[in-house]
Amino acid sequence: MKYTQLGRTGLKVGRLVLGTMNFGPQTDETDSHTIMDAALDAGINLFDTANVYGWGENKGRTEEIIGNWFAKGGDRRDKVVLATKVYANMGTEDEAWPNHDKLSALNIRRAVEASLKRLRTDHIDLYQFHHVDRNTPVEEIWQAIDVLIQQGKILYAGSSNFPGWKIAQANERAGRLGMVGLVSEQCLYNLAERRAEMEVVPAAQEYGLGVIPWSPLHGGLLGGVIKKEVEGGRRASGRSADALTSTSVRAQVQAYEDLLDKHGLEPGEVALAWLLTRPGVTGPIVGPRTAEQLASALRAVELELSEELLAELDGIFPGPGPAPEAFAW
């Protein structure tokens, strides 16, 4: 496994990030533990979760599964760079009190204590704001984070789904308070969705944030979805199915699959390998439901894409162009 640094930190992390969103809802605890063991053995050491994962009545279940894995010992916790998130209301629909969500100092304080308990650890390495909170002053958020850092309950703060201007605002305010600020940003970024290249990635690079793309296969659209339909009768679902109703998108995906078939390459592995060539990217999040899916993702780390192939991929899925030049008419 190749390693890099996580933004402006001293943390060394693998070029893939283990996403745990499926642990609980789709993958049971035993299989989840098997996947985590395999990921750590392969050199993936940044594990990403969120307090809300498990969803619905099972909010928090994913953190519990990770906590039970840590409790098995074997230096599991010491070897992992642990990332979780705060924002969602963790109560049931009938218990959704107004101060039990988002990024108020009160909710951050409550949420971190609950996550630490579920994760069965005394600290979180990377505590991430899951979404922008338009109603809480940035200074209040940083005050709460500073207290948690001083208490040793978190080491660093990161963002998720932040626009470029919000990254700039958050880090400018942090700088005035003498704080490190955000060290990472999780954003939607893949071959089929490259808008992050306009402002989010440039802002992250300017302020020294590591970029951690989520949905690197764009909900399965870049994972050989048309070929699976043809060969196995497995129809696309969710975001992939919606996207393929567009004639132009379907033509793009077909051209993508035809190109990689000509080179003897797997679409999902190429989509991950492409992200690893992008400036500023720390590592894409992979969310395997099975050990086999993890093994496929690991092959992408060793996959070298030629300049010719990269140019052909750009031709099929063109990016917005470099900022600020791309803003000009």
Side-chain angles (χ1 to χ4, degrees):
M1 174 64 65
K2 301 174 183 177
Y3 290 86
T4 186
Q5 284 192 220
L6 177 62
R8 294 171 292 112
T9 76
L11 297 174
K12 299 292 192 300
V13 296
R15 295 307 312 276
L16 293 179
V17 178
L18 183 68
T20 62
M21 183 183 292
N22 292 317
F23 295 174
Q26 298 191 49
T27 307
D28 65 24
E29 182 162 335
T30 299
D31 288 343
S32 298
H33 287 187
T34 298
I35 291 171
M36 285 188 279
D37 280 331
L40 196 59
D41 287 344
I44 297 177
N45 64 336
L46 177 52
F47 287 16
D48 176 72
T49 191
N51 59 353
V52 73
Y53 289 173
W55 310 107
E57 296 180 355
N58 294 312
K59 295 174 185 176
R61 177 58 182 149
T62 304
E63 286 188 333
E64 290 177 348
I65 289 173
I66 296 171
N68 292 340
W69 181 74
F70 286 148
K72 290 184 174 182
D75 295 328
R76 285 175 170 83
R77 177 64 188 95
D78 291 339
K79 294 174 180 176
V80 166
V81 176
L82 176 63
T84 192
K85 309 183 193 75
V86 55
Y87 184 88
N89 195 308
M90 294 297 289
T92 64
E93 188 172 340
D94 295 336
E95 299 173 341
W97 289 87
N99 290 318
H100 285 196
D101 65 356
K102 299 189 172 65
L103 303 179
S104 69
L106 179 59
N107 187 54
I108 288 175
R109 177 180 176 179
R110 287 171 171 159
V112 77
E113 294 294 347
S115 284
L116 288 171
K117 183 177 180 179
R118 286 189 292 266
L119 290 163
R120 301 175 73 168
T121 186
D122 63 354
H123 76 283
I124 295 161
D125 300 302
L126 178 62
Y127 201 50
Q128 302 161 109
F129 312 131
H130 210 159
H131 297 283
V132 170
D133 183 350
R134 294 179 174 87
N135 298 318
T136 301
V138 177
E139 291 81 1
E140 178 179 340
I141 296 171
W142 282 129
Q143 177 202 35
I145 293 300
D146 189 42
V147 170
L148 295 178
I149 292 173
Q150 296 302 320
Q151 292 175 337
K153 293 177 180 178
I154 70 170
L155 298 184
Y156 301 100
S159 58
S160 179
N161 304 308
F162 272 32
W165 69 266
K166 191 66 178 179
I167 292 172
Q169 180 196 55
N171 273 26
E172 289 296 328
R173 299 287 175 81
R176 293 174 197 170
L177 296 170
M179 298 181 63
V180 172
L182 302 172
V183 302
S184 63
E185 159 61 18
Q186 280 195 32
C187 57
L188 176 60
Y189 184 25
N190 54 59
L191 256 174
E193 176 49 82
R194 297 178 61 172
R195 285 177 292 179
E197 294 175 359
M198 289 290 284
E199 295 190 30
V200 175
V201 174
Q205 290 181 286
E206 182 69 21
Y207 286 96
L209 278 66
V211 175
I212 305 173
W214 59 268
S215 195
L217 305 189
H218 206 51
L221 194 69
L222 300 172
V225 63
I226 295 177
K227 183 178 181 180
K228 290 174 184 176
E229 279 187 353
V230 173
E231 294 184 352
R234 177 181 168 186
R235 298 193 60 79
S237 60
R239 186 186 302 161
S240 295
D242 293 341
L244 288 176
T245 60
S246 165
T247 302
S248 60
V249 170
R250 191 175 188 91
Q252 276 184 306
V253 175
Q254 186 67 68
Y256 172 69
E257 293 187 15
D258 289 344
L259 171 65
L260 301 186
D261 187 57
K262 182 178 71 175
H263 288 276
L265 298 170
E266 290 295 324
E269 294 171 18
V270 170
L272 287 172
W274 179 84
L275 276 169
L276 293 173
T277 71
R278 305 308 299 165
V281 169
T282 294
I285 298 174
V286 295
R289 296 187 300 275
T290 65
E292 291 74 18
Q293 290 179 347
L294 174 63
S296 175
L298 288 168
R299 289 193 290 271
V301 179
E302 306 303 327
L303 187 59
E304 298 289 340
L305 305 182
S306 68
E307 292 299 322
E308 177 186 0
L309 180 56
L310 289 170
E312 290 181 287
L313 292 172
D314 272 339
I316 297 171
F317 296 108
E325 292 82 0
F327 287 89
W329 286 24

